[in-house]
């Protein structure tokens, strides 16, 4: 199955893209997708404990299961205002 | 056209129109309100010793709007007579320009002040918005809070700031 990954701010700079597509095995979680990304972009690893994630534009936990066609976003610590 | 109460956009923030929209949203109850409080966050020319040239803001817009909705709902639950409007600007902003505008209204000033302060604290905690600071000699992404809307301690902190 295929999911869209959205990356913001410094995470986007590290990956060099604001949007990626990823093929994942059925039953994969948001966390598994994150680990998959950190293998390709080791610099992401230092965000392991500080990122938030979203599934289809709602905040989600790392153990949330993703489905074909989902949009998963990884968010570094926020700085609005 | 009436401004929405919650908004993210590239256009300069218009406080008067935001206050008007908030007034309009109060409908028949508008006459019961005795206070409006507004907050504008501005781009500062200095940050932790750096001379700031300008900022670039970006947002995960659909989630940021949902975060604003959540904040407005939290305000309504904590201060049932208060209502808020939250507008955030994205894109390049120069020193002195407003990046965020918050307006609140309530029957009495205490609740209006508290609701306004609570809303800006929560925006900083849970809205998926980022600023990149361009300063003399370089640039850096500013990273503040890990966004977690369900973190009760963050909510308590925001409420403490609001009621200080």
């Amino acid at each position: 199955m295929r999911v869209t990954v959205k990356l913001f701010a410094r995470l986007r700079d590290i990956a060099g893209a604001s949007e990626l597509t990823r093929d994942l095995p059925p039953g994969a979680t948001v966390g598994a997708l994150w680990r998959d990304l950190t293998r390709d972009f080791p610099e992401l690893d230092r965000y392991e404990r500080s990122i938030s994630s979203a599934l289809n534009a709602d905040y989600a936990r790392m153990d949330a299961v993703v489905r074909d066609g989902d949009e998963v976003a990884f968010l570094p610590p926020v700085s609005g205002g | 056209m009436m401004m929405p109460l919650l908004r993210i956009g590239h256009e300069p923030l218009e406080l008067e129109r935001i206050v008007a929209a908030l007034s309009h949203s109060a409908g028949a109850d508008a006459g019961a309100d005795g206070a409006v409080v507004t907050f504008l966050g501005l781009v500062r020319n200095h940050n932790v010793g750096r001379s700031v040239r300008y900022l670039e803001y970006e947002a995960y817009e659909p989630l940021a709007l949902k975060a604003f909705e959540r904040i407005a709902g939290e305000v309504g639950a904590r201060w049932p007579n208060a209502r808020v409007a939250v507008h955030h600007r994205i894109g390049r902003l120069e020193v002195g320009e407003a990046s965020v505008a918050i307006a609140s209204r309530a029957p009495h000033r205490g609740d209006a002040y508290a609701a306004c302060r609570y809303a800006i604290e929560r925006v900083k905690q849970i809205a998926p918005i980022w600023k990149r600071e361009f300063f003399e000699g370089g640039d850096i992404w500013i990273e503040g809070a890990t966004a977690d809307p369900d973190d009760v301690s963050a909510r308590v902190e925001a409420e403490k700031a609001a009621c200080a």
Side-chain angles (χ1 to χ4, degrees), chain A residues 20-40:
Chain A
L20 305 166
T21 52
R22 272 293 199 269
D23 290 310
L24 295 170
T29 60
V30 171
L33 173 57
W34 171 255
R35 286 189 293 279
D36 192 52
L37 286 175
T38 59
R39 273 193 291 276
D40 285 0

Side-chain angles (χ1 to χ4, degrees), chain B residues 23-74:
Chain B
S23 167
H24 186 258
S25 78
D29 293 335
D33 287 338
V36 170
V37 169
T38 59
F39 170 80
L40 276 182
L42 307 180
V43 177
R44 241 188 352 247
N45 68 1
H46 62 96
N47 188 31
V48 290
R50 298 187 292 260
S51 292
V52 176
R53 295 165 55 221
Y54 61 93
L55 300 179
E56 276 181 11
Y57 282 85
E58 70 174 59
Y60 183 20
E61 289 189 45
L63 183 57
L65 282 173
K66 286 180 193 171
F68 290 178
E69 282 164 17
R70 183 186 179 106
I71 292 165
E74 287 175 3

Side-chain angles (χ1 to χ4, degrees), chain B residues 89-137:
Chain B
R89 209 174 156 192
I90 52 174
R92 173 171 168 155
L93 273 75
E94 308 299 329
V95 166
E97 288 193 288
S99 55
V100 60
I102 299 193
S104 63
R105 58 183 287 145
H108 299 284
R109 66 184 180 281
D111 284 354
Y113 269 108
C116 187
R117 179 70 193 267
Y118 180 84
I120 182 61
E121 297 301 321
R122 291 296 276 160
V123 165
K124 285 176 164 286
Q125 289 174 347
I126 67 168
I129 300 173
W130 299 270
K131 54 173 159 276
R132 186 175 197 161
E133 181 187 301
F134 291 80
F135 58 91
E136 297 297 341

Side-chain angles (χ1 to χ4, degrees), chain A residues 4-6 11 20-21 23 30 49 65:
Chain A
T4 302
V5 182
K6 290 182 85 84
L11 304 188
L20 305 166
T21 52
D23 290 310
V30 171
R49 298 161 81 82
V65 174

